[in-house]
Amino acid sequence: MEQSIDWFVMLLVGSLLLLWIYRAIYNWLHAPPGMKRLRLGKGGVWSADESGVQILEASGYVVTSGKHRVPISIGWNGNRLYSRLYIDYIAERDGKMYVVKCSRDRQPMDWTGSGIRDRLMVYALLLPESSGVLYVDTTDGTVHQITFDIGVYDREE
């Protein structure tokens, strides 16, 4: 009786091990090639008395992460250039995560399709699991929620 229980346990553990190996190989084979996912840490320090945080909280959002600096290495004609992107905050509301950019006096927002695309679409592409980008206008205290549906064009051409 003990020997049959031992065989059963070994068979069960072996089956689970084979299933785990199969799933690992399957996921590896079906992963997009060269896909580098950005993983954000906790972010920088932020406080509740910052104007961007106050405006977000007044609009029903919860700031979950502070400022993030995303380094970028650019290949250009065989040379290396270095730059960075800044994410002001990560905020949540109704179980949805948003990338937050705050207004800057030196960089006014162009509220046209191409202006929004050029300034903010990079953040939606950087974190595809986000539900969109929040643009906080600190001068007038408003929050603009922006989403991008790529490949969908509803307008008649």
Side-chain angles (χ1 to χ4, degrees):
M1 180 73 174
E2 289 180 28
Q3 191 175 21
S4 63
I5 292 175
D6 290 343
W7 277 104
F8 176 74
V9 169
M10 285 187 355
L11 185 64
L12 182 65
V13 169
S15 298
L16 290 175
L17 184 63
L18 286 175
L19 180 65
W20 179 74
I21 290 171
Y22 169 76
R23 290 298 299 165
I25 292 173
Y26 181 87
N27 288 337
W28 175 68
L29 287 175
H30 290 87
M35 179 68 132
K36 294 181 181 178
R37 300 282 305 170
L38 175 66
R39 296 178 194 265
L40 294 177
K42 290 185 177 185
V45 178
W46 56 275
S47 65
D49 55 337
E50 293 178 25
S51 62
V53 174
Q54 290 176 350
I55 294 168
L56 284 167
E57 289 177 348
S59 298
Y61 295 94
V62 176
V63 177
T64 58
S65 181
K67 300 182 187 299
H68 294 273
R69 180 179 175 264
V70 181
I72 300 171
S73 175
I74 304 165
W76 175 63
N77 292 336
N79 298 316
R80 275 277 173 255
L81 301 175
Y82 300 95
S83 186
R84 68 205 65 77
L85 279 175
Y86 291 100
I87 297 172
D88 292 324
Y89 308 105
I90 301 294
E92 292 184 6
R93 183 168 78 176
D94 300 330
K96 296 180 180 178
M97 180 190 72
Y98 298 92
V99 177
V100 179
K101 284 300 292 174
C102 293
S103 64
R104 305 274 186 260
D105 291 335
R106 293 180 295 155
Q107 296 176 329
M109 185 63 149
D110 178 17
W111 289 109
T112 62
S114 59
I116 294 170
R117 177 201 63 213
D118 291 345
R119 278 281 298 282
L120 300 176
M121 190 169 73
V122 65
Y123 299 102
L125 295 173
L126 193 63
L127 293 167
E129 65 274 7
S130 69
S131 296
V133 178
L134 299 176
Y135 184 81
V136 178
D137 194 334
T138 54
T139 56
D140 65 1
T142 58
V143 177
H144 302 275
Q145 182 179 336
I146 296 124
T147 59
F148 296 95
D149 296 319
I150 298 171
V152 178
Y153 202 71
D154 293 335
R155 199 170 75 178
E156 295 286 326
E157 293 189 34

Coordinates of all heavy atoms in Angstrom, one line a residue, residues 41-125:
G41 N 9.5 51.3 -10.9 CA 9.7 51.0 -9.4 C 8.7 51.9 -8.6 O 7.6 52.2 -9.1
K42 N 9.1 52.2 -7.4 CA 8.2 53.0 -6.6 C 8.2 54.5 -7.0 O 7.3 55.2 -6.7 CB 8.7 52.9 -5.1 CG 8.5 51.6 -4.5 CD 8.9 51.6 -3.1 CE 8.5 50.3 -2.4 NZ 8.8 50.3 -1.0
G43 N 9.1 54.9 -7.8 CA 9.2 56.3 -8.2 C 9.8 57.2 -7.2 O 10.2 56.8 -6.1
G44 N 9.9 58.5 -7.5 CA 10.5 59.4 -6.7 C 9.6 59.9 -5.5 O 8.4 59.4 -5.4
V45 N 10.1 60.8 -4.8 CA 9.3 61.3 -3.6 C 8.3 62.3 -4.1 O 8.6 63.2 -4.9 CB 10.3 62.0 -2.6 CG1 9.5 62.5 -1.4 CG2 11.3 60.9 -2.1
W46 N 7.1 62.2 -3.5 CA 6.0 63.2 -3.8 C 5.3 63.5 -2.5 O 5.3 62.6 -1.6 CB 5.1 62.7 -4.9 CG 4.5 61.4 -4.6 CD1 5.0 60.1 -4.8 CD2 3.2 61.2 -4.0 NE1 4.1 59.2 -4.4 CE2 3.0 59.8 -3.9 CE3 2.2 62.0 -3.5 CZ2 1.9 59.2 -3.3 CZ3 1.1 61.4 -3.0 CH2 0.9 60.0 -2.9
S47 N 4.7 64.6 -2.4 CA 4.0 65.0 -1.2 C 2.6 65.4 -1.6 O 2.3 65.8 -2.7 CB 4.7 66.1 -0.4 OG 4.7 67.2 -1.2
A48 N 1.7 65.3 -0.6 CA 0.3 65.6 -0.8 C 0.0 67.1 -1.0 O -1.0 67.5 -1.5 CB -0.5 65.2 0.4
D49 N 1.0 68.0 -0.7 CA 0.8 69.4 -0.9 C 1.3 69.9 -2.3 O 1.2 71.1 -2.6 CB 1.4 70.2 0.2 CG 2.9 69.9 0.4 OD1 3.4 68.9 0.0 OD2 3.6 70.8 1.0
E50 N 1.7 69.0 -3.2 CA 2.1 69.4 -4.5 C 0.8 69.7 -5.3 O -0.2 69.1 -5.1 CB 2.8 68.3 -5.2 CG 4.2 68.1 -4.7 CD 4.9 66.9 -5.4 OE1 4.6 66.7 -6.5 OE2 5.8 66.3 -4.7
S51 N 0.8 70.8 -6.1 CA -0.4 71.2 -6.8 C -1.0 70.1 -7.7 O -2.2 69.9 -7.8 CB -0.2 72.4 -7.6 OG 0.8 72.2 -8.6
G52 N -0.1 69.3 -8.4 CA -0.6 68.2 -9.3 C -1.3 67.2 -8.5 O -2.4 66.7 -8.9
V53 N -0.8 66.8 -7.3 CA -1.4 65.8 -6.5 C -2.7 66.3 -5.9 O -3.7 65.5 -5.9 CB -0.4 65.4 -5.3 CG1 -1.1 64.4 -4.3 CG2 0.8 64.8 -5.8
Q54 N -2.8 67.5 -5.5 CA -4.0 68.1 -5.0 C -5.1 68.1 -6.0 O -6.3 67.8 -5.8 CB -3.8 69.5 -4.4 CG -3.0 69.5 -3.2 CD -2.7 70.9 -2.7 OE1 -2.9 71.9 -3.4 NE2 -2.1 71.0 -1.5
I55 N -4.8 68.5 -7.3 CA -5.8 68.5 -8.3 C -6.2 67.1 -8.7 O -7.5 66.9 -8.9 CB -5.2 69.2 -9.6 CG1 -4.9 70.7 -9.3 CG2 -6.1 69.1 -10.8 CD1 -4.0 71.4 -10.3
L56 N -5.3 66.2 -8.7 CA -5.7 64.8 -9.0 C -6.7 64.2 -7.9 O -7.7 63.6 -8.2 CB -4.5 63.9 -9.1 CG -3.7 64.0 -10.4 CD1 -2.3 63.3 -10.3 CD2 -4.5 63.4 -11.6
E57 N -6.3 64.5 -6.6 CA -7.1 63.9 -5.6 C -8.5 64.6 -5.5 O -9.5 64.0 -5.2 CB -6.4 64.1 -4.2 CG -5.2 63.1 -4.1 CD -4.4 63.3 -2.8 OE1 -4.6 64.3 -2.1 OE2 -3.6 62.4 -2.6
A58 N -8.5 65.9 -5.9 CA -9.8 66.6 -5.9 C -10.7 66.1 -7.0 O -11.9 66.1 -7.0 CB -9.6 68.1 -6.1
S59 N -10.1 65.5 -8.1 CA -10.8 64.9 -9.2 C -11.1 63.4 -9.0 O -11.7 62.8 -9.9 CB -10.0 65.1 -10.5 OG -9.8 66.4 -10.8
G60 N -10.8 62.9 -7.8 CA -11.1 61.5 -7.5 C -10.1 60.5 -7.8 O -10.3 59.3 -7.7
Y61 N -8.9 60.9 -8.2 CA -7.8 60.0 -8.4 C -6.9 59.8 -7.2 O -6.9 60.7 -6.3 CB -6.9 60.5 -9.6 CG -7.6 60.6 -10.9 CD1 -8.2 61.8 -11.3 CD2 -7.7 59.5 -11.7 CE1 -8.9 61.8 -12.5 CE2 -8.3 59.5 -12.9 CZ -8.9 60.7 -13.3 OH -9.6 60.8 -14.5
V62 N -6.3 58.7 -7.1 CA -5.4 58.4 -6.0 C -4.0 58.3 -6.6 O -3.7 57.4 -7.5 CB -5.7 57.1 -5.3 CG1 -4.7 56.7 -4.2 CG2 -7.1 57.2 -4.7
V63 N -3.0 59.1 -6.1 CA -1.7 59.0 -6.6 C -1.0 57.9 -5.9 O -0.9 57.8 -4.7 CB -0.9 60.4 -6.4 CG1 0.5 60.3 -6.8 CG2 -1.6 61.5 -7.1
T64 N -0.5 56.9 -6.7 CA 0.1 55.7 -6.2 C 1.6 55.7 -6.3 O 2.3 54.9 -5.7 CB -0.5 54.5 -6.9 OG1 -0.2 54.5 -8.3 CG2 -1.9 54.3 -6.6
S65 N 2.2 56.6 -7.1 CA 3.6 56.5 -7.3 C 4.1 57.9 -7.7 O 3.4 58.7 -8.4 CB 3.9 55.6 -8.5 OG 5.3 55.5 -8.7
G66 N 5.3 58.3 -7.3 CA 5.9 59.6 -7.6 C 6.5 59.7 -8.9 O 6.3 58.9 -9.8
K67 N 7.4 60.6 -9.0 CA 8.1 60.9 -10.3 C 9.0 59.8 -10.8 O 9.7 59.2 -9.9 CB 8.8 62.2 -10.2 CG 7.9 63.4 -9.8 CD 8.7 64.6 -9.8 CE 7.9 65.8 -9.2 NZ 6.7 66.1 -10.0
H68 N 8.9 59.5 -12.1 CA 9.8 58.4 -12.6 C 10.7 59.0 -13.7 O 10.2 59.8 -14.5 CB 8.9 57.3 -13.2 CG 8.1 56.5 -12.3 ND1 8.6 55.5 -11.6 CD2 6.9 56.7 -11.8 CE1 7.7 55.0 -10.8 NE2 6.6 55.7 -10.9
R69 N 11.9 58.6 -13.8 CA 12.8 59.0 -14.8 C 13.1 57.7 -15.6 O 13.6 56.7 -15.1 CB 14.1 59.5 -14.2 CG 15.1 60.0 -15.1 CD 16.3 60.5 -14.3 NE 17.4 60.8 -15.2 CZ 18.4 60.0 -15.5 NH1 18.5 58.9 -14.9 NH2 19.4 60.4 -16.3
V70 N 12.8 57.8 -16.9 CA 13.0 56.6 -17.8 C 14.2 57.0 -18.7 O 14.1 57.8 -19.6 CB 11.7 56.4 -18.6 CG1 12.0 55.2 -19.6 CG2 10.5 56.2 -17.7
P71 N 15.3 56.3 -18.5 CA 16.5 56.6 -19.4 C 16.3 56.0 -20.8 O 15.7 54.9 -20.9 CB 17.7 55.9 -18.7 CG 17.0 54.9 -17.8 CD 15.7 55.4 -17.5
I72 N 16.8 56.7 -21.8 CA 16.7 56.2 -23.2 C 18.1 56.4 -23.8 O 18.7 57.4 -23.8 CB 15.7 57.1 -24.0 CG1 14.3 57.0 -23.3 CG2 15.6 56.7 -25.4 CD1 13.3 58.0 -23.9
S73 N 18.5 55.3 -24.5 CA 19.7 55.3 -25.2 C 19.4 55.2 -26.7 O 18.6 54.4 -27.1 CB 20.6 54.0 -24.9 OG 21.7 54.0 -25.7
I74 N 19.9 56.2 -27.5 CA 19.5 56.3 -28.9 C 20.7 56.1 -29.8 O 21.8 56.7 -29.6 CB 19.0 57.7 -29.1 CG1 17.8 58.0 -28.2 CG2 18.6 57.9 -30.6 CD1 17.4 59.5 -28.1
G75 N 20.6 55.2 -30.7 CA 21.6 55.0 -31.7 C 21.4 55.9 -32.9 O 20.3 56.0 -33.5
W76 N 22.4 56.7 -33.3 CA 22.3 57.6 -34.3 C 23.6 57.6 -35.2 O 24.7 58.0 -34.7 CB 22.1 59.0 -33.7 CG 22.0 60.1 -34.8 CD1 21.1 60.3 -35.8 CD2 22.9 61.2 -34.8 NE1 21.4 61.4 -36.5 CE2 22.5 62.0 -35.9 CE3 24.0 61.6 -34.1 CZ2 23.2 63.2 -36.3 CZ3 24.7 62.8 -34.5 CH2 24.3 63.5 -35.6
N77 N 23.5 57.1 -36.4 CA 24.7 57.1 -37.3 C 25.9 56.4 -36.7 O 27.0 56.9 -36.8 CB 25.0 58.4 -37.8 CG 24.0 59.0 -38.8 OD1 23.2 58.2 -39.3 ND2 23.9 60.3 -38.9
G78 N 25.7 55.4 -35.9 CA 26.8 54.7 -35.3 C 27.2 55.3 -34.0 O 28.1 54.8 -33.3
N79 N 26.6 56.4 -33.6 CA 26.9 57.0 -32.3 C 25.9 56.7 -31.3 O 24.8 56.3 -31.6 CB 27.1 58.5 -32.5 CG 28.2 58.9 -33.4 OD1 29.3 58.4 -33.4 ND2 27.9 59.8 -34.4
R80 N 26.1 57.0 -30.0 CA 25.2 56.8 -29.0 C 24.8 58.2 -28.4 O 25.6 59.0 -28.0 CB 25.8 56.0 -27.8 CG 25.7 54.5 -28.1 CD 24.3 54.1 -27.6 NE 23.7 52.9 -27.8 CZ 22.8 52.6 -28.7 NH1 22.4 53.4 -29.6 NH2 22.1 51.5 -28.6
L81 N 23.5 58.4 -28.3 CA 22.9 59.6 -27.7 C 22.1 59.2 -26.5 O 21.6 58.1 -26.5 CB 22.0 60.4 -28.6 CG 22.7 60.9 -29.9 CD1 21.6 61.6 -30.8 CD2 23.8 61.9 -29.6
Y82 N 22.1 60.0 -25.5 CA 21.3 59.6 -24.2 C 20.3 60.7 -23.9 O 20.6 61.9 -24.0 CB 22.3 59.4 -23.1 CG 23.3 58.3 -23.4 CD1 24.6 58.6 -23.9 CD2 23.0 57.0 -23.2 CE1 25.5 57.7 -24.2 CE2 23.9 56.0 -23.5 CZ 25.2 56.3 -24.0 OH 26.1 55.4 -24.3
S83 N 19.2 60.2 -23.5 CA 18.1 61.1 -23.2 C 17.3 60.5 -22.1 O 17.6 59.4 -21.5 CB 17.2 61.5 -24.4 OG 16.3 62.4 -24.1
R84 N 16.2 61.1 -21.7 CA 15.3 60.5 -20.7 C 13.9 61.1 -20.9 O 13.7 62.1 -21.5 CB 15.8 60.9 -19.3 CG 15.7 62.3 -18.9 CD 16.7 62.8 -17.9 NE 18.1 62.7 -18.3 CZ 18.8 63.5 -19.1 NH1 18.1 64.5 -19.6 NH2 20.0 63.4 -19.3
L85 N 12.9 60.3 -20.4 CA 11.5 60.8 -20.3 C 11.2 60.9 -18.8 O 11.6 60.1 -18.0 CB 10.6 59.8 -20.9 CG 10.5 59.8 -22.5 CD1 9.6 58.6 -22.9 CD2 9.9 61.1 -22.9
Y86 N 10.3 61.8 -18.5 CA 9.9 61.9 -17.1 C 8.4 61.7 -17.0 O 7.6 62.3 -17.8 CB 10.2 63.3 -16.6 CG 11.7 63.6 -16.4 CD1 12.4 64.3 -17.3 CD2 12.3 63.1 -15.3 CE1 13.8 64.5 -17.2 CE2 13.7 63.3 -15.1 CZ 14.4 64.0 -16.1 OH 15.7 64.2 -15.9
I87 N 8.0 60.9 -16.1 CA 6.6 60.6 -15.8 C 6.4 61.3 -14.4 O 7.1 61.0 -13.5 CB 6.3 59.1 -15.7 CG1 6.5 58.5 -17.1 CG2 4.8 58.9 -15.2 CD1 6.4 57.0 -17.0
D88 N 5.4 62.2 -14.4 CA 5.2 63.0 -13.1 C 4.6 62.1 -12.0 O 5.1 62.1 -10.9 CB 4.3 64.2 -13.4 CG 5.0 65.2 -14.2 OD1 6.3 65.4 -14.1 OD2 4.4 65.9 -15.1
Y89 N 3.6 61.4 -12.3 CA 2.9 60.5 -11.3 C 2.3 59.3 -12.0 O 2.1 59.3 -13.2 CB 1.8 61.2 -10.5 CG 2.2 62.5 -9.9 CD1 1.8 63.7 -10.5 CD2 3.0 62.6 -8.8 CE1 2.2 64.9 -9.9 CE2 3.4 63.8 -8.2 CZ 3.0 65.0 -8.8 OH 3.4 66.1 -8.3
I90 N 2.0 58.3 -11.2 CA 1.1 57.2 -11.6 C -0.2 57.4 -10.7 O 0.0 57.5 -9.5 CB 1.7 55.8 -11.4 CG1 3.0 55.7 -12.3 CG2 0.7 54.7 -11.8 CD1 2.8 55.8 -13.8
A91 N -1.3 57.4 -11.3 CA -2.6 57.6 -10.5 C -3.6 56.5 -10.9 O -3.5 55.9 -11.9 CB -3.2 59.0 -10.8
E92 N -4.5 56.2 -9.9 CA -5.5 55.2 -10.2 C -6.9 55.8 -9.8 O -7.0 56.6 -8.9 CB -5.2 54.0 -9.3 CG -4.0 53.2 -9.7 CD -3.8 51.9 -8.9 OE1 -4.7 51.6 -8.1 OE2 -2.8 51.3 -9.1
R93 N -7.9 55.3 -10.5 CA -9.3 55.5 -10.2 C -10.1 54.4 -10.7 O -9.9 54.0 -11.9 CB -9.7 56.9 -10.7 CG -11.2 57.2 -10.3 CD -11.6 58.6 -10.6 NE -11.9 58.7 -12.0 CZ -12.3 59.8 -12.6 NH1 -12.5 60.9 -11.8 NH2 -12.6 59.9 -13.8
D94 N -11.0 53.9 -10.0 CA -11.9 52.8 -10.4 C -11.1 51.6 -10.9 O -11.5 50.9 -11.8 CB -12.9 53.3 -11.5 CG -13.8 54.4 -11.0 OD1 -14.1 54.5 -9.8 OD2 -14.2 55.2 -11.8
G95 N -10.0 51.3 -10.2 CA -9.2 50.1 -10.6 C -8.4 50.3 -11.9 O -7.8 49.3 -12.4
K96 N -8.4 51.5 -12.4 CA -7.6 51.7 -13.7 C -6.4 52.6 -13.4 O -6.5 53.5 -12.6 CB -8.5 52.5 -14.7 CG -9.7 51.6 -15.2 CD -10.5 52.4 -16.2 CE -11.6 51.5 -16.6 NZ -12.5 52.3 -17.6
M97 N -5.3 52.3 -14.0 CA -4.0 53.0 -13.8 C -3.8 54.0 -14.9 O -4.1 53.7 -16.1 CB -2.9 52.0 -13.8 CG -1.5 52.7 -13.5 SD -0.1 51.6 -13.8 CE -0.1 51.4 -15.5
Y98 N -3.3 55.2 -14.6 CA -3.1 56.2 -15.5 C -1.7 56.8 -15.4 O -1.2 56.9 -14.2 CB -4.1 57.4 -15.4 CG -5.5 57.0 -15.6 CD1 -6.3 56.6 -14.6 CD2 -6.0 57.0 -16.9 CE1 -7.6 56.2 -14.8 CE2 -7.3 56.6 -17.1 CZ -8.1 56.2 -16.1 OH -9.4 55.9 -16.3
V99 N -1.0 57.2 -16.5 CA 0.2 57.9 -16.5 C -0.1 59.4 -16.4 O -1.0 59.8 -17.1 CB 1.0 57.6 -17.7 CG1 2.3 58.4 -17.8 CG2 1.3 56.2 -17.9
V100 N 0.6 60.1 -15.5 CA 0.2 61.5 -15.3 C 1.4 62.4 -15.8 O 2.5 62.2 -15.4 CB -0.1 61.8 -13.8 CG1 -0.4 63.3 -13.6 CG2 -1.2 60.9 -13.3
K101 N 1.0 63.4 -16.6 CA 1.9 64.5 -16.9 C 1.3 65.8 -16.5 O 0.1 66.0 -16.7 CB 2.1 64.5 -18.5 CG 3.0 63.4 -19.0 CD 4.4 63.5 -18.4 CE 5.2 64.7 -18.9 NZ 6.5 64.8 -18.3
C102 N 2.1 66.6 -15.9 CA 1.6 68.0 -15.5 C 2.0 69.0 -16.5 O 3.1 68.9 -17.1 CB 2.2 68.3 -14.1 SG 1.5 67.2 -12.8
S103 N 1.3 70.1 -16.5 CA 1.6 71.2 -17.4 C 2.8 71.9 -17.0 O 3.2 71.9 -15.9 CB 0.4 72.2 -17.5 OG 0.3 72.8 -16.2
R104 N 3.5 72.5 -18.0 CA 4.7 73.2 -17.8 C 4.5 74.6 -18.5 O 4.0 74.7 -19.6 CB 5.9 72.6 -18.5 CG 6.2 71.2 -18.0 CD 7.0 71.1 -16.8 NE 7.4 69.7 -16.5 CZ 6.7 69.0 -15.5 NH1 5.7 69.5 -14.9 NH2 7.1 67.8 -15.3
D105 N 4.9 75.7 -17.8 CA 4.8 77.0 -18.3 C 5.5 77.2 -19.6 O 5.1 77.9 -20.5 CB 5.2 78.0 -17.3 CG 4.3 78.1 -16.1 OD1 3.1 77.8 -16.3 OD2 4.8 78.5 -15.0
R106 N 6.7 76.6 -19.7 CA 7.5 76.7 -20.9 C 7.1 75.9 -22.1 O 7.6 76.0 -23.2 CB 9.0 76.4 -20.6 CG 9.6 77.4 -19.6 CD 11.0 77.0 -19.3 NE 11.0 75.7 -18.6 CZ 12.1 74.9 -18.6 NH1 13.1 75.1 -19.2 NH2 12.0 73.7 -17.9
Q107 N 6.2 74.9 -21.8 CA 5.8 74.0 -22.9 C 4.2 74.0 -22.9 O 3.6 73.0 -22.4 CB 6.3 72.6 -22.7 CG 7.8 72.5 -22.8 CD 8.2 71.1 -22.4 OE1 7.6 70.4 -21.7 NE2 9.4 70.7 -23.0
P108 N 3.6 75.0 -23.5 CA 2.1 74.9 -23.5 C 1.6 73.8 -24.4 O 2.2 73.4 -25.4 CB 1.7 76.3 -24.1 CG 3.0 76.8 -24.8 CD 4.1 76.2 -24.1
M109 N 0.5 73.3 -24.0 CA -0.1 72.2 -24.7 C -0.9 72.7 -26.0 O -1.6 73.6 -25.9 CB -1.1 71.4 -23.8 CG -1.6 70.2 -24.5 SD -0.3 69.0 -24.8 CE -1.1 67.5 -24.6
D110 N -0.6 72.0 -27.1 CA -1.3 72.3 -28.3 C -2.5 71.3 -28.4 O -2.3 70.1 -28.6 CB -0.4 72.1 -29.5 CG -1.1 72.3 -30.9 OD1 -2.2 72.9 -30.9 OD2 -0.5 71.9 -31.9
W111 N -3.7 71.8 -28.1 CA -4.9 70.9 -28.0 C -5.5 70.6 -29.4 O -6.6 70.8 -29.7 CB -6.0 71.5 -27.1 CG -5.5 71.5 -25.7 CD1 -5.2 72.6 -24.9 CD2 -5.4 70.4 -24.8 NE1 -4.8 72.2 -23.7 CE2 -4.9 70.8 -23.6 CE3 -5.6 69.0 -25.0 CZ2 -4.7 70.0 -22.5 CZ3 -5.3 68.2 -23.9 CH2 -4.9 68.7 -22.7
T112 N -4.6 70.0 -30.2 CA -5.1 69.5 -31.5 C -4.7 68.0 -31.5 O -4.0 67.5 -30.7 CB -4.4 70.2 -32.7 OG1 -3.0 70.0 -32.6 CG2 -4.7 71.7 -32.7
G113 N -5.2 67.3 -32.5 CA -4.9 65.9 -32.6 C -3.4 65.6 -32.7 O -2.9 64.7 -32.0
S114 N -2.8 66.3 -33.6 CA -1.3 66.1 -33.7 C -0.6 66.6 -32.5 O 0.5 66.0 -32.2 CB -0.8 66.8 -35.0 OG -1.1 68.2 -35.0
G115 N -1.0 67.7 -31.9 CA -0.3 68.2 -30.7 C -0.4 67.2 -29.5 O 0.6 67.0 -28.9
I116 N -1.6 66.7 -29.3 CA -1.7 65.7 -28.2 C -0.9 64.4 -28.6 O -0.2 63.9 -27.7 CB -3.2 65.4 -28.0 CG1 -4.0 66.6 -27.5 CG2 -3.4 64.2 -27.1 CD1 -5.5 66.5 -27.5
R117 N -1.0 64.0 -29.8 CA -0.3 62.8 -30.2 C 1.2 63.0 -30.0 O 1.9 62.1 -29.4 CB -0.5 62.5 -31.7 CG 0.2 61.3 -32.2 CD 0.4 61.4 -33.7 NE 1.1 62.5 -34.2 CZ 0.9 63.2 -35.3 NH1 -0.1 62.9 -36.1 NH2 1.6 64.3 -35.6
D118 N 1.8 64.1 -30.5 CA 3.2 64.3 -30.4 C 3.7 64.4 -28.9 O 4.8 64.0 -28.6 CB 3.6 65.6 -31.2 CG 3.5 65.4 -32.7 OD1 3.3 64.2 -33.1 OD2 3.5 66.4 -33.4
R119 N 2.9 65.0 -28.1 CA 3.3 65.2 -26.7 C 3.1 64.1 -25.7 O 3.8 63.8 -24.8 CB 2.6 66.5 -26.1 CG 3.2 67.8 -26.4 CD 4.5 68.1 -25.6 NE 4.3 68.3 -24.2 CZ 3.8 69.3 -23.6 NH1 3.3 70.4 -24.4 NH2 3.7 69.4 -22.3
L120 N 1.9 63.3 -25.9 CA 1.5 62.4 -24.9 C 1.4 60.9 -25.3 O 1.4 60.1 -24.5 CB 0.2 62.8 -24.3 CG 0.1 64.2 -23.7 CD1 -1.3 64.6 -23.3 CD2 1.1 64.3 -22.5
M121 N 1.4 60.6 -26.6 CA 1.2 59.3 -27.0 C 2.4 58.4 -26.6 O 2.2 57.2 -26.4 CB 1.0 59.1 -28.5 CG 0.6 57.7 -28.9 SD 0.0 57.6 -30.6 CE 1.5 57.7 -31.5
V122 N 3.6 58.9 -26.5 CA 4.7 58.2 -26.1 C 4.5 57.5 -24.7 O 5.0 56.4 -24.5 CB 6.0 59.0 -26.1 CG1 6.0 60.1 -25.1 CG2 7.2 58.2 -25.9
Y123 N 3.8 58.2 -23.8 CA 3.5 57.6 -22.5 C 2.6 56.5 -22.5 O 2.7 55.5 -21.8 CB 3.0 58.8 -21.6 CG 4.1 59.8 -21.4 CD1 3.9 61.0 -22.1 CD2 5.2 59.6 -20.7 CE1 4.9 62.0 -22.0 CE2 6.2 60.6 -20.6 CZ 6.0 61.8 -21.3 OH 7.0 62.8 -21.2
A124 N 1.6 56.6 -23.4 CA 0.6 55.5 -23.6 C 1.3 54.2 -24.2 O 1.0 53.1 -23.8 CB -0.6 55.9 -24.4
L125 N 2.3 54.5 -25.1 CA 3.0 53.4 -25.7 C 4.0 52.8 -24.8 O 4.4 51.6 -24.8 CB 3.7 53.8 -27.0 CG 2.7 54.2 -28.1 CD1 3.5 54.8 -29.3 CD2 1.9 53.1 -28.6

